[in-house]
Amino acid sequence: MASTLLLVLVFVFDLIAFGLAVAAEQRRATATINRDAEYNYCVYESDVATGLGVGSFFFLLASQLLIMFASRCLCCGRALRPGKPRSWAIVLFITCWVTFFIAEVCLLAASVRNAYHTKYRTYLAQHPPSCEVLRKGVFGAGAAFIVFTGIVSELFYVSYSKADEGSIPPRMDGGIRMNAFR
Protein backbone atom coordinates (compact mmCIF):
# COMPACT_ATOMS: atom_id res chain seq x y z
CA MET A 1 0.00 0.00 0.00
CA ALA A 2 1.31 3.41 -0.96
CA SER A 3 2.15 5.74 1.88
CA THR A 4 -0.37 8.58 1.94
CA LEU A 5 1.96 10.74 4.01
CA LEU A 6 4.72 10.38 1.42
CA LEU A 7 2.36 11.20 -1.44
CA VAL A 8 1.10 14.33 0.36
CA LEU A 9 4.65 15.43 1.20
CA VAL A 10 5.81 14.96 -2.39
CA PHE A 11 2.74 16.84 -3.64
CA VAL A 12 3.49 19.76 -1.29
CA PHE A 13 7.15 19.88 -2.41
CA ASP A 14 6.11 19.81 -6.07
CA LEU A 15 3.52 22.52 -5.43
CA ILE A 16 6.12 24.74 -3.76
CA ALA A 17 8.58 24.11 -6.62
CA PHE A 18 5.88 24.99 -9.15
CA GLY A 19 4.97 28.18 -7.29
CA LEU A 20 8.59 29.27 -7.08
CA ALA A 21 9.13 28.61 -10.80
CA VAL A 22 6.04 30.63 -11.75
CA ALA A 23 7.16 33.45 -9.44
CA ALA A 24 10.63 33.35 -11.02
CA GLU A 25 9.05 33.65 -14.48
CA GLN A 26 7.15 36.74 -13.32
CA ARG A 27 10.19 38.33 -11.65
CA ARG A 28 12.94 37.63 -14.20
CA ALA A 29 15.50 40.37 -14.69
CA THR A 30 14.93 43.22 -17.09
CA ALA A 31 17.47 45.76 -18.28
CA THR A 32 17.39 49.39 -19.30
CA ILE A 33 20.01 51.45 -21.09
CA ASN A 34 21.24 54.46 -19.13
CA ARG A 35 23.16 57.33 -20.61
CA ASP A 36 26.05 58.94 -18.80
CA ALA A 37 28.04 61.97 -19.97
CA GLU A 38 30.15 59.84 -22.31
CA TYR A 39 28.86 56.28 -22.11
CA ASN A 40 25.80 54.09 -22.62
CA TYR A 41 25.52 51.16 -20.20
CA CYS A 42 23.02 48.57 -18.99
CA VAL A 43 21.26 48.74 -15.64
CA TYR A 44 19.64 45.51 -14.42
CA GLU A 45 16.90 45.06 -11.87
CA SER A 46 17.31 42.79 -8.84
CA ASP A 47 18.09 39.08 -9.13
CA VAL A 48 15.05 37.79 -7.26
CA ALA A 49 14.21 35.32 -10.03
CA THR A 50 17.59 33.61 -9.71
CA GLY A 51 16.96 32.77 -6.05
CA LEU A 52 13.41 31.65 -6.79
CA GLY A 53 14.64 29.39 -9.60
CA VAL A 54 17.31 27.83 -7.40
CA GLY A 55 14.74 27.29 -4.64
CA SER A 56 12.42 25.60 -7.12
CA PHE A 57 15.35 23.45 -8.29
CA PHE A 58 16.03 22.21 -4.74
CA PHE A 59 12.38 21.57 -3.85
CA LEU A 60 11.96 19.47 -7.00
CA LEU A 61 15.20 17.64 -6.19
CA ALA A 62 13.96 16.90 -2.65
CA SER A 63 10.67 15.60 -4.04
CA GLN A 64 12.42 13.28 -6.46
CA LEU A 65 14.81 12.01 -3.78
CA LEU A 66 11.89 11.22 -1.45
CA ILE A 67 10.16 9.14 -4.11
CA MET A 68 13.36 7.34 -5.09
CA PHE A 69 14.35 6.54 -1.48
CA ALA A 70 10.86 5.25 -0.74
CA SER A 71 10.87 3.02 -3.82
CA ARG A 72 14.54 2.09 -3.42
CA CYS A 73 15.10 3.56 -6.90
CA LEU A 74 13.35 0.51 -8.40
CA CYS A 75 16.64 -1.35 -8.74
CA CYS A 76 17.54 -2.05 -5.11
CA GLY A 77 15.55 -4.23 -2.76
CA ARG A 78 13.53 -7.29 -3.51
CA ALA A 79 12.03 -8.12 -6.87
CA LEU A 80 8.58 -6.88 -7.80
CA ARG A 81 5.69 -9.19 -8.61
CA PRO A 82 5.20 -9.73 -12.33
CA GLY A 83 2.15 -8.10 -13.86
CA LYS A 84 0.71 -4.78 -15.00
CA PRO A 85 1.75 -2.77 -11.93
CA ARG A 86 5.40 -3.77 -12.43
CA SER A 87 5.26 -2.90 -16.13
CA TRP A 88 3.70 0.47 -15.37
CA ALA A 89 6.23 1.07 -12.61
CA ILE A 90 9.11 0.55 -15.05
CA VAL A 91 7.60 2.80 -17.74
CA LEU A 92 6.71 5.52 -15.22
CA PHE A 93 10.15 5.26 -13.60
CA ILE A 94 11.86 6.08 -16.90
CA THR A 95 9.35 8.82 -17.73
CA CYS A 96 9.73 10.30 -14.26
CA TRP A 97 13.50 10.62 -14.63
CA VAL A 98 13.23 12.12 -18.13
CA THR A 99 10.75 14.80 -17.08
CA PHE A 100 12.72 15.46 -13.89
CA PHE A 101 15.93 15.94 -15.87
CA ILE A 102 14.25 18.36 -18.31
CA ALA A 103 12.70 20.38 -15.47
CA GLU A 104 15.97 20.60 -13.58
CA VAL A 105 17.90 21.67 -16.70
CA CYS A 106 15.31 24.37 -17.46
CA LEU A 107 15.41 25.71 -13.90
CA LEU A 108 19.18 25.62 -13.59
CA ALA A 109 19.86 27.14 -17.02
CA ALA A 110 17.26 29.86 -16.46
CA SER A 111 18.70 30.72 -13.05
CA VAL A 112 22.24 30.95 -14.40
CA ARG A 113 21.19 32.96 -17.44
CA ASN A 114 19.06 35.30 -15.33
CA ALA A 115 22.05 36.03 -13.07
CA TYR A 116 24.27 36.92 -16.04
CA HIS A 117 24.66 40.66 -16.61
CA THR A 118 26.64 42.24 -19.40
CA LYS A 119 29.15 44.85 -18.40
CA TYR A 120 29.55 46.57 -21.75
CA ARG A 121 29.86 50.31 -22.10
CA THR A 122 29.80 52.17 -25.37
CA TYR A 123 30.47 55.75 -26.35
CA LEU A 124 27.45 57.86 -27.18
CA ALA A 125 28.31 57.86 -30.87
CA GLN A 126 28.38 54.06 -31.03
CA HIS A 127 25.46 51.67 -31.08
CA PRO A 128 23.78 51.07 -27.72
CA PRO A 129 25.06 48.05 -25.77
CA SER A 130 23.21 44.76 -25.94
CA CYS A 131 21.59 44.26 -22.56
CA GLU A 132 21.08 40.52 -22.63
CA VAL A 133 18.31 39.09 -20.46
CA LEU A 134 16.65 35.70 -20.07
CA ARG A 135 14.09 34.83 -22.72
CA LYS A 136 10.51 34.73 -21.64
CA GLY A 137 9.17 31.25 -20.89
CA VAL A 138 12.24 29.33 -19.70
CA PHE A 139 11.14 29.31 -16.07
CA GLY A 140 7.62 28.60 -17.37
CA ALA A 141 8.86 25.53 -19.21
CA GLY A 142 10.52 24.38 -16.01
CA ALA A 143 7.23 24.91 -14.15
CA ALA A 144 5.36 22.84 -16.75
CA PHE A 145 7.83 20.00 -16.43
CA ILE A 146 7.56 20.22 -12.63
CA VAL A 147 3.85 19.46 -13.02
CA PHE A 148 4.60 16.52 -15.35
CA THR A 149 7.26 15.22 -12.97
CA GLY A 150 4.93 15.48 -9.99
CA ILE A 151 2.13 13.57 -11.69
CA VAL A 152 4.37 10.87 -13.12
CA SER A 153 6.40 10.38 -9.93
CA GLU A 154 3.27 9.91 -7.81
CA LEU A 155 1.81 7.47 -10.35
CA PHE A 156 5.14 5.65 -10.34
CA TYR A 157 5.11 5.31 -6.56
CA VAL A 158 1.52 4.02 -6.52
CA SER A 159 2.22 1.42 -9.22
CA TYR A 160 5.47 0.47 -7.50
CA SER A 161 3.58 -0.04 -4.24
CA LYS A 162 1.01 -2.25 -5.97
CA ALA A 163 3.76 -4.37 -7.51
CA ASP A 164 5.64 -4.58 -4.21
CA GLU A 165 2.69 -5.94 -2.18
CA GLY A 166 2.83 -9.57 -1.21
CA SER A 167 5.62 -11.93 -1.99
CA ILE A 168 6.66 -13.78 -5.07
CA PRO A 169 5.48 -17.39 -4.88
CA PRO A 170 8.37 -19.86 -4.67
CA ARG A 171 9.21 -21.86 -7.77
CA MET A 172 8.26 -25.49 -7.52
CA ASP A 173 10.41 -27.28 -10.02
CA GLY A 174 10.67 -31.03 -10.29
CA GLY A 175 14.38 -30.98 -10.98
CA ILE A 176 17.02 -33.29 -9.53
CA ARG A 177 18.05 -32.43 -6.01
CA MET A 178 21.75 -32.16 -5.29
CA ASN A 179 21.76 -33.42 -1.69
CA ALA A 180 22.96 -36.71 -0.18
CA PHE A 181 20.71 -39.79 -0.15
CA ARG A 182 19.47 -41.09 3.21
Side-chain angles (χ1 to χ4, degrees):
M1 182 83 176
S3 171
T4 308
L5 177 64
L6 178 73
L7 290 174
V8 168
L9 190 61
V10 167
F11 176 75
V12 168
F13 278 9
D14 288 336
L15 189 63
I16 292 170
F18 176 76
L20 290 174
V22 169
E25 177 66 32
Q26 298 298 320
R27 301 279 301 167
R28 56 192 175 80
T30 57
T32 57
I33 298 175
N34 278 3
R35 299 184 194 284
D36 200 355
E38 297 180 29
Y39 298 106
N40 292 332
Y41 57 93
C42 300
V43 175
Y44 291 89
E45 288 183 7
S46 65
D47 281 338
V48 174
T50 301
L52 293 171
V54 170
S56 178
F57 175 89
F58 283 119
F59 270 104
L60 184 61
L61 181 65
S63 168
Q64 186 77 357
L65 289 176
L66 278 173
I67 288 287
M68 290 305 135
F69 282 138
S71 66
R72 295 186 269 331
C73 198
L74 192 66
C75 55
C76 300
R78 64 178 191 214
L80 300 176
R81 282 187 307 139
K84 276 187 177 180
R86 181 175 80 171
S87 300
W88 276 110
I90 293 169
V91 169
L92 291 170
F93 175 78
I94 294 167
T95 307
C96 174
W97 275 105
V98 169
T99 57
F100 169 75
F101 180 73
I102 293 171
E104 291 286 295
V105 165
C106 285
L107 292 171
L108 189 62
S111 295
V112 168
R113 186 70 181 135
N114 189 66
Y116 177 73
H117 301 309
T118 58
K119 305 222 184 318
Y120 300 122
R121 293 187 318 175
T122 60
Y123 286 109
L124 288 177
Q126 293 179 341
H127 299 289
S130 68
C131 301
E132 298 179 14
V133 292
L134 177 68
R135 292 179 71 143
K136 189 174 185 175
V138 182
F139 281 118
F145 277 101
I146 288 171
V147 172
F148 295 148
T149 303
I151 292 169
V152 172
S153 66
E154 292 202 9
L155 288 174
F156 158 69
Y157 182 67
V158 169
S159 63
Y160 171 83
S161 297
K162 285 182 183 177
D164 196 34
E165 290 175 353
S167 62
I168 299 174
R171 275 186 37 191
M172 301 298 282
D173 61 352
I176 299 173
R177 303 273 184 237
M178 299 300 287
N179 58 358
F181 289 105
R182 292 189 191 221

